[in-house]
Amino acid sequence: MPRSRALSPHARTVLSVLLDAGGQWSHGYELVRLAGVKSGTLYPLLIRLEAQGYLEAEWQQPTEGGRPPRHAYRLTASGVQLARANPPEPSVAPASHGGRATI
Amino acid sequence: MSIGLRRGLTTLSCRILQAVLPPALQPWGWAVRYEAASIQDDTEALLFTLDSLSGLLPRAIAAHLLRPFAEGLTIMNLLDGTMRRPRALGILCAIGAALLGIVYMVIAGAPLRYFGINIGALGIGLSMLGMLGHAASADRRWADAAIVTMAGALLATALLGAEVDGAARWVNLAGLAIQPSLILLPVVLVAFARTRSATATTGIVIAAVAMALQPDRAMAGMLALCVAILTVIRRDRHTVIAFAAGVAGFAATLMRADTLPAASYVDQILYSSFDVHAGAGLAVWSGAALMLVPGFVGFSRDPHNRVVYAAFGAAWLAAIVAAALGNYPTPVVGYGGSAIIGYVVSLFALPKLTAVPARMGGRTEDLADRSPSDPDLFVALA
């Protein structure tokens, strides 16, 4: 059974960016820049979201020759619900401990 | 800091990350590596990688530390891994059966040196298996030559071996009476199941003659049962010839009286062990059953080599049945090093690994399967 805990401000922000993408695939560095989080924060978060079924990931082949494939991410239906239920908080105040989400 | 150095450090950091990540998280290591390769600015790429490394490192360490405690996983992996390695499984069964045999002997009050001889035989068998496994090739001609040589040794024993009450089954070696048929015949039979060439068939015919000359109903029965099963499973000209020789040899032994009396702690112990103690009986029967496990497991899990496992199982089942019916050595669980050495060495003829593919895992393994290959990155970083 997953440990129940509230979403962090960073998680809410990343979810919001992914929600704004509207079903389009996003990449790691792009999320880092748009959400304003460090990659060391982003990847553990993506791993948890993917493991809990809120995020889907796929490898995308490069459009330019000689470039590597990239790992791309988008929210699943449950991920969209989670993102809508947990919008980014306007301030940097500590997140509430209502235990609504489980990541 | 030069551009080349920054890119080099980025690559190094990515490699460190991939080295520390557990298999389930490897796709994320590739994700970071490829993402860094797609970042144009070298400093940005390096910072991105270093930060990813610092963020994922605690998770990687935690995963490695917690792995042994993952509920049931380690035991399941060990079990699955052992089941896929018939030789390894056979070694475990041999050790288990020999130890159960010692349990019987302790309860039955056998002389102390009997335990030592059985343990010594187990050590010799395992050493021989180790040496064979490293030295011998899987070349068919090597197997053919080995079968004929071993069959020749059996014939030589029948003609020149140490004789007791009209039976010449033994060779005196360093003060011990070794029974070559118990050591060599199972190997010959399992090896024949693998090769079944004209030369190997000649070896089987020679072995059948050797068994008939003694007479040794147990070993002749082992040969006959084994080639009969091979004939049922995959009939060809060589198997049919071997079957005819095996049946003729066994029939010849049945027509001659085998007057050897039962030896204590060696013969007739399958039933008599229960008279000693229920624990002793249980040990003997469990040990005997354990000997058949590699054959059963291999037969059910490795359809490509069924004939080989069938030969192995038939050979040792025949030895057990013979011990139950007559005054013949009870293999592995009874006193006598020859059967222990023979059982362990016959494992050499089993495949090292079953042809069954590893169990496919869940989503993370699927992700790993979809991960691009290393050369893609070389192209990207070039």
Side-chain angles (χ1 to χ4, degrees):
Chain A
M1 191 175 175
R3 189 158 53 100
S4 180
R5 70 183 189 202
L7 284 174
S8 69
H10 290 315
R12 289 166 181 263
T13 310
V14 170
L15 281 170
S16 170
V17 171
L18 286 164
L19 184 65
D20 290 344
Q24 298 295 309
W25 293 96
S26 302
H27 299 110
Y29 186 52
E30 179 188 3
L31 289 171
V32 164
R33 285 187 293 114
L34 292 174
V37 296
K38 291 188 171 183
S39 58
T41 305
L42 177 75
Y43 279 104
L45 177 63
L46 292 178
I47 289 171
R48 283 205 300 273
L49 289 171
E50 198 266 345
Q52 294 180 344
Y54 295 123
L55 186 83
E56 56 182 326
E58 74 164 25
W59 286 102
Q60 291 181 340
Q61 291 306 310
T63 51
E64 296 174 49
R67 303 305 300 170
R70 294 175 78 181
H71 213 209
Y73 318 99
R74 71 178 178 192
L75 293 175
T76 60
S78 60
V80 169
Q81 286 181 350
L82 180 73
R84 284 180 180 154
N86 294 276
E89 290 170 346
S91 67
V92 292
S96 72
H97 291 276
R100 279 181 290 170
T102 56
I103 59 171
Chain B
M1 194 184 288
S2 71
I3 291 172
L5 182 60
R6 275 175 284 179
R7 275 294 165 187
L9 286 174
T10 302
T11 306
L12 179 66
S13 304
C14 288
R15 287 186 184 279
I16 291 170
L17 177 61
Q18 288 186 295
V20 297
L21 282 175
L25 295 180
Q26 280 298 320
W28 296 96
W30 284 109
V32 171
R33 194 168 175 177
Y34 285 178
E35 201 64 24
S38 71
I39 299 172
Q40 298 291 326
D41 186 275
D42 296 314
T43 306
E44 277 290 300
L46 178 58
L47 292 174
F48 178 87
T49 309
L50 288 175
D51 202 55
S52 302
L53 178 63
S54 65
L56 290 172
L57 203 57
R59 195 180 183 89
I61 293 168
H64 284 295
L65 291 175
L66 292 173
R67 199 160 69 180
F69 303 102
E71 193 179 347
L73 192 66
T74 305
I75 292 167
M76 287 302 291
N77 287 346
L78 273 174
L79 190 65
D80 191 53
T82 308
M83 289 293 178
R84 290 185 62 232
R85 288 170 175 78
R87 280 193 206 174
L89 179 63
I91 289 169
L92 291 177
C93 291
I95 293 169
L99 291 177
L100 285 167
I102 288 173
V103 168
Y104 153 72
M105 284 193 279
V106 168
I107 296 173
L112 197 62
R113 70 182 182 92
Y114 283 17
F115 316 155
I117 288 172
N118 271 17
I119 291 290
L122 185 63
I124 291 168
L126 292 172
S127 305
M128 287 172 73
L129 183 63
M131 283 188 290
L132 285 168
H134 282 100
S137 70
D139 185 70
R140 182 172 169 162
R141 283 174 301 177
W142 185 93
D144 286 349
I147 289 171
V148 171
T149 305
M150 287 187 279
L154 292 174
L155 188 61
T157 306
L159 295 172
L160 309 167
E163 199 168 317
V164 179
D165 288 346
R169 297 173 196 160
W170 299 273
V171 171
N172 289 321
L173 205 65
L176 293 172
I178 307 289
Q179 186 178 335
S181 59
L182 264 174
I183 298 173
L184 300 178
L185 190 62
V187 189
V188 166
L189 291 170
V190 185
F192 174 70
R194 293 189 79 156
T195 63
R196 286 186 300 173
S197 63
T199 312
T201 307
T202 306
I204 293 293
V205 173
I206 294 170
V209 171
M211 296 305 104
L213 280 174
Q214 295 194 38
D216 187 345
R217 291 174 187 169
M219 293 293 107
M222 175 191 282
L223 195 154
L225 178 67
C226 206
V227 291
I229 285 177
L230 291 182
T231 310
V232 170
I233 292 176
R234 199 187 299 166
R235 188 177 305 171
D236 57 32
R237 188 165 53 92
H238 299 305
T239 321
V240 172
I241 293 170
F243 174 64
V247 170
F250 184 50
T253 61
L254 289 178
M255 284 187 278
R256 296 171 63 183
D258 193 354
T259 55
L260 275 177
S264 301
Y265 313 109
V266 180
D267 305 329
Q268 294 280 338
I269 65 167
L270 276 166
Y271 298 120
S272 65
S273 56
F274 278 103
D275 296 334
V276 175
H277 189 275
L282 210 60
V284 169
W285 281 88
S286 304
L290 210 51
M291 291 174 63
L292 304 176
V293 169
F296 277 119
V297 170
F299 191 87
S300 61
R301 289 177 65 99
D302 188 1
H304 299 298
N305 293 299
R306 265 192 181 153
V307 69
V308 180
Y309 299 110
F312 179 87
W316 290 105
L317 177 66
I320 294 166
V321 171
L325 299 178
N327 293 339
Y328 298 103
T330 310
V332 182
V333 293
Y335 165 63
S338 301
I340 295 174
I341 295 173
Y343 183 80
V344 177
V345 173
S346 68
L347 296 170
F348 169 68
L350 295 182
K352 274 187 175 176
L353 205 64
T354 63
V356 178
R359 189 178 46 190
M360 295 305 289
R363 189 162 52 156
T364 49
E365 281 171 306
D366 293 342
L367 258 177
D369 289 343
R370 284 188 275 134
S371 301
S373 59
D374 215 18
D376 291 334
L377 190 69
F378 278 124
V379 172
L381 292 177

